[in-house]
Amino acid sequence: MTLHRGRGFASINYPIGMNLGGDPSQALVHSNPDGKFMVALSSIDLGQGMKSVTRQIAAETLGIPVEDVYVDTADSDTGPHCMGSFASRGTHRVGNAVIAAAREARSVMMEAAAQELEVNPDDLVTDGKGNIHVKGAPSKSITTAAACGAAQFKQGRTVSGRGIFLVPLSDVDPDTGEMTPVTCFAHAAMVVDIDVDDETGEVTVIEMNSAYEVGRALNPRLVEQQLIGGAWMGMSHALWETTEPYYPDRIHGPVDFNEYLMPGPGDIAPHHISVLERPAPDGPFGGKGPGEMCANPVLPAVANAVFNAVGVRIDELPITPEKVLRGIAAIGGPQPQPKW
Amino acid sequence: MAKKPIQFQLNGSGQAIFAEEGSNLLDVLRRGVGDLSPKYGCGQGTCGTCTVLVNGEPRLSCLTLAETVEGQSVETTAGLAHGPQLHALQHAFMDNFAAQCGYCTPGMLMAAKALLDRNPSPSREEVVEAISGNICRCTGYEPIINAVLAAAQSGGRRYG
């Protein structure tokens, strides 16, 4: 038995969002009587941080503390329309919609404050701590809560805003075939080191080193969290997961976690990540979003590493021990490729 | 089917409940007692999210007959915090971003608590071993391992 060390590299461009009949998301923002703001979305947070990021974006745009913002994604029947949390589109599409809605709500809040302070709204600024004051005269101020309260109880205004962000459908040019389906791309590059056991066919991931370019990392810890977890999914897809591991047909497929394989906590490899920030011109505060591309570079990088280790080119996932052994047998024994 | 009286301690307080014979502990906790903190995942003992402690030992509550905990002490994540004061593990899970969707978290917390209760300063390998019966789909495990090690480093003290 010999362990063959291999190194594989892959890089990807990943489109943010999709182009199926247009790609819109909406947001509604309004203040409550206590001066806190509610962001209503139908964009689901399934752990990826939708609520955290839209909360930050709303607070930043409104000019109020992040603690004063609630995000409600409870119900797609009663909330404003969203295409959904997929295609790595959440931060970009929904974030932009939230900015539009928060801007509109902010302008009403500033008008209400101006009326209370008897000044011109254009002379007012927010301090981000819950106060609105006259530019250059911090003592002439009103709290955002008091301004919103006055709007509702004295002035009869709704401190609210509507926002939509739409990337319209890009049709194919009938003459040239050209289209512009995507407004921005995220990027990643990854180097994976593995060991291939030429007796058992097992592939062990030793180390991953990666660089991800995600636009502005609006919440750096959540970005890192996504990248770590997503790379695990990529590793799992490359080497373990499949719904149809056995032939001849689906009926022999896995039906529970005993048969559906995934790497456990003992199978993970050290993963060193660099996050590169190149703000997207059309992104909310420059953000694109990590999303699906967290997992993508791992698969081709692992396949390339297997080739580098034993000279077997496997083009069907997952790269199971059986496929590795059959591949090695087909070329008459392991053929390690040049090392780096 | 005849119902059977069962008495046990849940997070330090006495519980007395009638349960159908043969019902599992997870069902009794969730539907009988109303403690929704242990989650139903696979229902066959392979995912670990239903993990609770029985006399300090981690058990898969979906595979544990309820009547076997008669007179025993059961702990769930609902008992980790004392009033507003979170357990060191809960703080460490937040600080280390060890949860995304959160479905595995109750099981992870209880598996980790069982470890730290008997081994206050575990090695990384021991943490991996302790949570190896629990499946997580989001985090890639690394943040969870780091969180358990951080909680151990805090000496089990409640911090924050």
Side-chain angles (χ1 to χ4, degrees), chain B residues 101-127:
Chain B
C101 84
Y103 208 81
C104 75
T105 310
M108 289 287 182
L109 284 168
M110 296 322 283
K113 181 172 191 295
L115 171 70
L116 296 189
D117 283 352
R118 67 169 188 275
N119 178 2
S121 43
S123 66
R124 190 188 156 85
E125 288 67 34
E126 287 167 328
V127 173

Side-chain angles (χ1 to χ4, degrees), chain B residues 23 50 97 135:
Chain B
S23 54
C50 69
F97 288 69
I135 291 176

Side-chain angles (χ1 to χ4, degrees), chain A residues 130-206:
Chain A
N131 302 297
I132 302 167
H133 62 79
V134 174
K135 218 177 293 177
S139 60
K140 189 135 177 90
S141 80
I142 182 172
T143 64
T144 52
C148 292
Q152 287 170 93
F153 294 106
K154 284 167 66 182
Q155 304 170 12
R157 296 175 195 265
T158 58
V159 181
S160 62
R162 304 152 298 166
I164 184 166
F165 185 72
L166 167 67
V167 175
L169 172 67
S170 170
D171 274 324
V172 181
D173 185 303
D175 296 326
T176 64
E178 281 178 22
M179 64 191 300
T180 313
V182 176
T183 66
C184 71
F185 281 88
H187 310 89
M190 174 172 274
V191 178
V192 172
D193 290 349
I194 61 160
D195 274 343
V196 178
D197 184 323
D198 67 11
E199 188 179 347
T200 65
E202 254 182 302
V203 177
T204 307
V205 178
I206 305 297

Side-chain angles (χ1 to χ4, degrees), chain B residues 25-48:
Chain B
L25 178 58
L26 179 63
D27 239 20
V28 164
L29 289 172
R30 289 182 61 88
R31 293 188 209 188
V33 181
D35 180 350
L36 299 178
S37 67
K39 302 296 177 210
Y40 180 92
C42 63
Q44 56 175 200
T46 50
C47 78

